[in-house]
Amino acid sequence: MSGAAPRGMAAIVRDAGLAALIALGVGAPLLGLRTEPVGRGLTLIPRPGLLLSVVAAVFVGRILVGLFMAQRALRRRVISPAPRAMLAPPGFRSWLGRAAGPAMLAFALLLPFMPGIGRYEIDLGTLVLTYVMLGWGLNIVVGLAGLLDLGYVAFYAVGAYSYALLAKHLEIGFWAALPLTGLCSAVWGIILGFPVLRLRGDYLAIVTLAFGEIIRIVLLNWVGLTGGPNGMSGIPRPSFFGLPFSMAGGEGTFAGFFGLEPSPLHRIIFLYYLILALALVTNFVTIRLRRHPIGRAWEALREDEVASRALGLSVVAVKLTAFATGALFGGFAGAFFATRQGFISPESFTFIESALILAIVVLGGMGSQIGVATAAVVMIGGFELFRDLEQFRMLVFGLAMVAIMVWRPRGLVSSREPSVALGARKMVGAEHVAEGRG
Amino acid sequence: MSAAANGAMLAVEDVTTAYGAIVALRGVSLTVGHGEIVTLIGANGAGKSTLMMTICGSPAPREGRVVLEGRDITGWPTHLIMRQGLAHAPEGRRIFPRMTVLENLRMGAEVLNGAHFDQDLEKVCALFPRLKERLGQRGGTLSGGEQQMLAIARALMSRPRLLLLDEPSLGLAPMVVRQIFAAIRDLNRETGLTVLLVEQNAYHALRLAHRGYVLVNGRITMTGTGAELLARPEVRAAYLEGGRA
Ligand SMILES: Nc1ncnc2c1ncn2[C@@H]1O[C@H](COP(=O)(O)OP(=O)(O)OP(=O)(O)O)[C@@H](O)[C@H]1O
Ligand SMILES: [Mg+2]
């Protein structure tokens, strides 16, 4: 850092000053003033403290970003004279890349038992993991197969409702119902897939968007089956492999069986691990499939449809399996959602959910598992963090998204691990591709 | 006509192909014998790429037949046609840019379900040593010439008996063009690979090929051996004017 200092530092501070000025300009009317209804009119209450702290945060943050970029540029410069062809030096970044996954996994596994973690934090963790799973599911369709799907929430809804119906009317338990709900969603994935086989890009996006809305509107209006806008309540809660979580304790319950003090936390922790397991299954299957001909075919399709066809791939089969597999995991997540909430209604499955999941995939760097997980943590965690700001959080969010897309046009994690490698893995070329635009 | 069809590697018979209202091929017939290099030359928009794609079934011909090794494949879905010992290196290379060279080659071998992949990999690496050094590199970061080598190598990975090459010299330096043409000739001589070659570079193509066809506005107007066509004044005027580049 000190190496870049003398000239770099001044520029960085100037840049940060500019950013702070912009923040001041934008923030003054938005944050600096609050309207308060007084009598019949409104009065403006100035909030200089909040405004100044935000401006200060922008200033400091921008300096940090500037330093980070400068350091990176420095490292680039050191690297670039080396022969461009093959081996990118396995430096700090690739070490970080390798360590990030296991570290995140260890953190997720230990979270419920960390000191200072209560019910709220575990609930938040469960929510984040639900989006991690949805992000990974959609990543198959968008990130791997390159099919822009704006209606992914439809499969989440199908999963939730089919679980609710199976559990309430046929009294099928969660574990037995889970594969059925996944199957149901996958079938819907194929049903969506057929009409859009010939569509690409924007047209595909529009049709999938419409599909998402159709499913929601059907759920809203088929009152006899789904309860319409009132939704479905009293959805059975999951049991611990047959042992219910009950506050009463005693013989046949989870607490009784393990000789524990009955506590509402048990179920919450169980739900947390349940979604963690489901998410990990999604991840595992995706990673395996990427090394499998099907996964390679998805990626080839994303890269070039004409070439894929010329190499003997059946574009129909490739697209349909991508839709079906993505939908399958969306359905699992939906079933989890239903059993966790105990109540579902069409309101939970609006377009904004699809947009959020898609944002997670895009921000994460399409196709990167760890990037998607990071983006889910940042986005859902960010939503919680800015909860107090209420009406501003969408704004903060939009800005964050624009910023990420400007700085990292290919998402947070932009390198792509090859799915085929010869014996000795050669880390290559990602640097050169990663930063290109397009 | 059918006599020719039965003996030939590939026979295209009276094929008409259209994109909606635009008719790109009008009653085209050609044959490619076993072990031959046949070239198809013609101006931009003559329908050369369309003919290659019609052979692969996408788009399917509106009229006429396509017969591959005595089997009528007209109207078959493309992915099945591509499993009949036919490989196509499409115009503009169309390698998978974000996938590595090795993964690109792997995709080429997909129709064989990965059988004898290692062996075939060695063969294409021997043919194009440049690729061997770059197996882990992303396709999109290869130079144009390397990408073309990769496109041909990828097509070869499916062990084709007939290779369709659409303008392999596109945008390449003369030196690289010679390398690629030499590779095609070697493949043909050593393994008996049959090649149908579309080229703008008529001089090189006609010198390399055993026979050639000239396509004008969707119709075949001339045919003959490479040397015959090279000697024809019409060919010289239309395709060789301004030197031998
Ligand atoms: N997908 C398509 N839709 C409509 N028209 C097309 C399509 N593809 C090709 N054409 C038209 O068909 C005709 C033949 O095109 P084709 O690509 O076969 O030419 P070509 O001989 O390969 O030319 P070039 O040497 O420039 O590659 C052209 O007039 C072209 O505009
Ligand atoms: Mg062409």
Side-chain angles (χ1 to χ4, degrees), chain A residues 13-386:
Chain A
V13 172
R14 203 168 336 115
D15 176 57
L18 193 68
L21 211 64
I22 294 172
L24 184 69
V26 175
L30 288 174
L31 296 170
L33 298 173
R34 190 163 63 128
T35 53
E36 191 89 333
V38 173
R40 266 199 235 124
L42 291 169
T43 53
L44 291 175
I45 299 175
R47 292 190 296 184
L50 176 64
L51 179 61
L52 285 182
S53 49
V54 168
V55 170
V58 168
F59 185 70
V60 173
R62 185 66 201 160
I63 285 186
L64 290 178
V65 169
L67 289 176
F68 174 72
M69 304 288 269
Q71 200 183 2
R72 216 172 53 162
L74 198 70
R75 203 164 22 212
R76 277 277 160 73
R77 224 170 303 141
V78 173
I79 290 165
S80 55
R84 175 173 173 267
M86 299 234 355
L87 303 171
F92 174 69
R93 269 174 84 183
S94 81
W95 174 83
L96 192 72
R98 268 200 310 276
M104 280 172 89
L105 178 62
F107 179 80
L109 280 171
L110 296 177
L111 179 84
F113 301 108
M114 284 181 187
I117 297 293
R119 181 182 172 142
Y120 169 77
E121 285 79 12
I122 300 174
D123 264 334
L124 179 59
T126 308
L127 187 68
V128 167
L129 283 173
T130 309
Y131 281 94
V132 169
M133 175 163 181
L134 287 167
W136 278 340
L138 182 61
N139 191 28
I140 294 174
V141 183
V142 178
L144 291 185
L147 303 164
L148 186 52
D149 183 351
L150 291 184
Y152 190 60
V153 76
F155 307 119
Y156 189 39
V158 168
Y161 273 89
S162 50
Y163 170 67
L165 291 168
L166 285 169
K168 282 189 73 172
H169 298 308
L170 302 178
E171 291 178 359
I172 297 178
F174 179 77
W175 295 105
L178 196 63
L180 294 176
T181 58
L183 195 71
C184 205
S185 294
V187 167
W188 278 100
I190 292 172
I191 292 174
L192 166 66
F194 265 111
V196 301
L197 277 176
R198 308 183 55 135
L199 301 179
R200 251 185 275 176
D202 343 10
Y203 298 99
L204 175 67
I206 291 169
V207 175
T208 54
L209 174 82
F211 180 78
E213 284 299 282
I214 289 169
I215 295 274
R216 189 178 64 84
I217 290 167
V218 167
L219 292 175
L220 200 58
N221 289 288
W222 197 344
V223 180
L225 187 71
T226 66
N230 298 328
M232 297 179 71
S233 54
I235 300 166
R237 297 316 197 78
S239 58
F240 187 82
F241 303 100
L243 299 171
F245 294 94
S246 156
M247 285 309 295
E251 260 312 282
T253 69
F254 175 77
F257 187 83
F258 290 98
L260 298 169
E261 196 66 25
S263 153
L265 260 179
H266 290 161
R267 172 154 67 208
I268 293 180
I269 294 178
F270 172 67
L271 284 170
Y272 175 85
Y273 280 116
L274 179 56
I275 187 66
L276 180 60
L278 286 173
L280 288 176
V281 167
T282 312
N283 184 34
F284 178 75
V285 170
T286 308
I287 289 174
R288 290 308 298 262
L289 283 180
R290 268 207 54 205
R291 291 181 164 75
H292 192 267
I294 292 183
R296 274 200 298 273
W298 288 338
E299 290 202 78
L301 181 77
R302 174 195 68 201
E303 301 280 288
D304 195 319
E305 189 170 325
V306 172
S308 304
R309 201 180 285 132
L311 295 177
L313 296 181
S314 160
V315 172
V316 172
V318 176
K319 281 189 181 174
L320 289 183
T321 51
F323 272 120
T325 314
L328 176 82
F329 292 114
F332 287 161
F336 172 80
F337 177 77
T339 191
R340 174 180 178 227
Q341 302 293 107
F343 166 77
I344 49 172
S345 79
E347 287 202 2
S348 308
F349 307 106
T350 52
F351 168 66
I352 197 75
E353 290 293 314
S354 291
L356 184 60
I357 304 165
L358 183 66
I360 287 173
V361 174
V362 173
L363 287 185
M366 300 212 247
S368 158
Q369 296 295 97
I370 197 113
V372 168
T374 312
V377 172
V378 169
M379 290 198 71
I380 307 301
F383 259 131
E384 276 308 302
L385 222 59
F386 289 103

Side-chain angles (χ1 to χ4, degrees), chain A residues 85-86 293 296 300 302-304 306-314 410 416 418-422 428 433, chain B residues 58 78-79 82-83 88 94 96-100 102-103 106-108 110-111 133 135-138 141 154:
Chain A
M86 299 234 355
R296 274 200 298 273
R302 174 195 68 201
E303 301 280 288
D304 195 319
V306 172
S308 304
R309 201 180 285 132
L311 295 177
L313 296 181
S314 160
R410 284 174 180 267
R416 174 187 164 279
S419 66
V420 196
L422 293 176
V428 179
V433 184
Chain B
S58 161
T78 302
H79 66 99
M82 302 321 290
R83 286 161 191 263
H88 181 198
R94 291 192 172 268
F96 303 118
R98 288 220 277 161
M99 297 167 91
T100 62
L102 187 62
E103 286 171 315
R106 185 83 226 198
M107 288 311 302
E110 213 75 328
V111 296
E133 300 158 19
L135 286 177
Q137 194 175 332
R138 318 256 151 188
T141 63
R154 186 180 65 181

Side-chain angles (χ1 to χ4, degrees), chain B residues 19 22 24 43-50 91 167 200:
Chain B
Y19 301 101
I22 303 170
N44 291 127
K48 306 181 296 293
S49 299
T50 302
E91 186 171 6
E167 298 202 28
Q200 289 290 343

